[in-house]
Amino acid sequence: MAVIMQFAGNERGGWVRLLSVGEPLPRAVWWLIAARAVNRLGAFSLPFLTVLIAAQYAASAAVAGLVSAAFGLATVPSRLVGGRLSDRLGPRRTIVVGLAGCAVAQLGIAAANTLVVTVIFVVLLGLVFELYEPPSQALIADAVTAPARVRAYSLLNAALAAAGMGAGLIAASLGRWDLRWLFVADAVTCLICALVVQRVLPGDPPRAGRAPRQTHHVAPWRDSTLMALLVSGTLFALVYLQIMITLPLSMAHRGLRPADAGLLFTTSALTIVLGQPLLRFKPLVTLSTPAAFATGYTLLALGLAGYGAAHSLSGYSAPTAVWSLGDLVLMGRVYALVADLAPAHGTGRYMAVYGTSWGIAGILAPLAGTQLLQYTGAAMLWLSMSGACLTLALTQPFLARAVAARASLQAARASTVVNAEK
C-alpha cells in the first residue's frame, strides 16, 4: 500500500512521470486512482464464483451460470442508483457506501454454507457492486479538461493493471488453498479503499443532499449517440466478461487448474504495465480515436482466437499478451467519448447509463459462455468472442467519428452564442 501511496503522491517519479505527460492531474484524481488500485488487489474473486458454486455445492455449469447471471442482473439498477446517489449524496459518500456494501456481501459469500444463502449474498453484491463506479468516473471527468480525459482514464487502468499483477498471484495462491479466501481478501481491500476515500478525498458539497436543477434536464436515455455507444459497449463487456468469468471454467474443461487463470490475469496486467512506454511512440501518440478502436479490437480478436487453439498453460500465455496489448490501446477512450457527450452537470448520469452495459453483459455473459462451453466446446466459445471483436473493430470507429462531429457542432454553437452576446 505504501508503494501505491507513493505512486499517487509523487508525480515526478518513475511510471508517474511517464504517464503524466501533459497538464498535471488534480491531487484528488491521484488519490482516487491509488484507492482503486488497493481495491484491485483483491478483485479476482468474481472470476471464480462459478467455480466455487460448482465445486462447493456440486452444481452444474448451467446452474453456476444462472447464479452469475443473477449477479449481473442486480448490477443494472446498482449502476443507475450510483449515478443518482452521486448527485444527491455526493461522490465521496456514494463511493464509501458502495465499497462497504461490497465488503459485507463478499464476507457473506465466504461464510455461506448453503447454495441459497450464497445466492442471497451474490445478489446483494450485485446490488452494491456498481454504486461507486459512476461517481468515480464522473469525478475524474469533471476534474480534468477534455484533452486530458483519455490520459486520466488510461492512468487509472494502468494503476489497476499494476495492482492486478499482485491480485492474480493472490488468486492463484489462495485459490489453490480455498476459493472462499478470495472473497475474504476482496472484502478487506474494499474496506481499505473505502477508508482511503473517506480520509483523503475532498468532502462532498454542502448541497449534495439535493440534486442540482440542471440535472433535471439531463436525458441520457434519449441520446441516440449514447444508446449506440451502449450497444457497442455491451458487446465489448460481453466479450471481456467471458475472460473474467468463463476462462477458469474453460481451462478446467481442458484439464488445467482453474486457479491458474490467476496467472494469466497476472500476465495480462504485466503486459499492460510494461506496455505503457509504447503509448509514447509517435505512431500511437498520433493515432486517431477511430484508428485506435480498430487496432485495439483487432488485437483482442487475435488473442481470443489464440485461446481457441490453446491446450496448455503456456499456450494460453501468448494470446493473453496479444489481447492485453489491444486492451492497452483501447484504455480510457470509450469513457472519454461518453464524457464528451455528457452535458454540463450530467456526467454522472451519462456514465451510469453507459455503465449499464456491464450489468446487461453480466446477465448474458455467464449464460452464453457456459452454454457455449457445454454444448460447443472451448474452441467455439473463443472463436465466437473473436468474431464479436472483429465486429467492434468495424463499427466502433464510426461511433467515434459521430461523437467528434457532435462535439464540433456544439463548440461551433457555443462560439456563435458568445459572439452574439458580444
Side-chain angles (χ1 to χ4, degrees):
M1 182 175 177
V3 173
I4 297 174
M5 295 301 107
Q6 181 180 6
F7 174 84
N10 180 11
E11 296 185 15
R12 295 187 178 183
W15 287 104
V16 175
R17 181 174 63 249
L18 174 64
L19 293 169
S20 60
V21 176
E23 69 180 71
L25 297 179
R27 182 171 294 275
V29 172
W30 287 103
W31 277 110
L32 178 61
I33 289 172
R36 291 296 303 276
V38 171
N39 182 220
R40 181 69 166 186
L41 286 171
F44 275 123
S45 58
L46 284 179
F48 298 94
L49 177 61
T50 53
V51 179
L52 173 66
I53 293 171
Q56 189 72 26
Y57 306 110
S60 66
V63 170
L66 286 172
V67 176
S68 290
F71 166 81
L73 179 61
T75 64
V76 176
S78 174
R79 176 80 68 152
L80 297 174
V81 170
R84 292 275 182 174
L85 289 180
S86 181
D87 289 337
R88 297 183 179 276
L89 298 180
R92 189 176 74 173
R93 294 189 188 97
T94 304
I95 293 171
V96 170
V97 168
L99 289 168
C102 286
V104 171
Q106 296 274 17
L107 292 174
I109 293 173
N113 54 11
T114 67
L115 180 58
V116 173
V117 175
T118 300
V119 171
I120 291 173
F121 280 108
V122 166
V123 173
L124 174 62
L125 179 62
L127 290 173
V128 296
F129 191 75
E130 299 285 355
L131 288 181
Y132 60 83
E133 285 291 354
S136 297
Q137 294 159 358
L139 189 152
I140 292 175
D142 293 339
V144 301
T145 61
R149 283 171 180 164
V150 171
R151 184 168 56 86
Y153 286 121
S154 296
L155 178 57
L156 172 62
N157 286 322
L160 296 180
M165 289 189 291
L169 296 176
I170 291 172
S173 57
L174 292 181
R176 292 171 185 266
W177 183 20
D178 189 332
L179 290 176
R180 292 174 180 268
W181 283 106
L182 295 177
F183 293 88
V184 175
D186 201 347
V188 171
T189 58
C190 283
L191 292 175
I192 294 174
C193 182
L195 178 62
V196 172
V197 168
Q198 178 64 31
R199 294 293 299 273
V200 304
L201 284 191
D204 294 316
R207 297 186 62 189
R210 281 179 17 199
R213 289 184 180 180
Q214 295 92 328
T215 60
H216 294 305
H217 302 289
V218 177
W221 293 106
R222 298 181 182 179
D223 190 324
S224 59
T225 305
L226 179 63
M227 291 300 99
L229 284 173
L230 176 60
V231 172
S232 65
T234 300
L235 182 58
F236 169 72
L238 179 67
V239 173
Y240 206 86
L241 287 178
Q242 295 306 325
I243 302 172
M244 297 293 103
I245 295 173
T246 318
L247 180 58
L249 282 176
S250 173
M251 295 177 69
H253 191 266
R254 286 178 165 170
L256 302 174
R257 291 177 182 267
D260 285 345
L263 298 177
L264 296 178
F265 297 146
T266 300
T267 299
S268 173
L270 185 63
T271 301
I272 290 173
V273 172
L274 294 182
Q276 291 298 318
L278 296 175
L279 298 178
R280 300 186 67 189
F281 288 172
K282 188 174 181 179
L284 284 180
V285 171
T286 58
L287 196 64
S288 67
T289 298
F293 278 125
T295 301
Y297 284 121
T298 299
L299 288 171
L300 278 170
L302 292 173
L304 296 181
Y307 275 178
H311 287 83
S312 65
L313 183 60
S314 59
Y316 277 95
S317 299
T320 297
V322 172
W323 73 253
S324 298
L325 287 174
D327 197 16
L328 174 67
V329 174
L330 294 171
M331 273 185 178
R333 292 188 180 273
V334 172
Y335 287 113
L337 286 181
V338 176
D340 289 342
L341 277 178
H345 308 289
T347 306
R349 293 194 186 184
Y350 264 62
M351 289 293 183
V353 169
Y354 176 77
T356 59
S357 58
W358 289 94
I360 297 169
I363 302 169
L364 301 176
L367 296 176
T370 53
Q371 294 298 315
L372 280 171
L373 183 62
Q374 183 171 345
Y375 294 108
T376 67
M380 185 57 65
L381 165 67
W382 297 117
L383 288 176
S384 299
M385 297 303 106
S386 177
C389 289
L390 289 177
T391 300
L392 288 169
L394 293 173
T395 58
Q396 193 79 357
F398 290 100
L399 292 178
R401 294 188 186 98
V403 173
R406 193 167 111 175
S408 298
L409 180 60
Q410 290 174 342
R413 288 176 178 174
S415 177
T416 301
V417 171
V418 171
N419 291 334
E421 290 177 350
K422 290 181 179 180

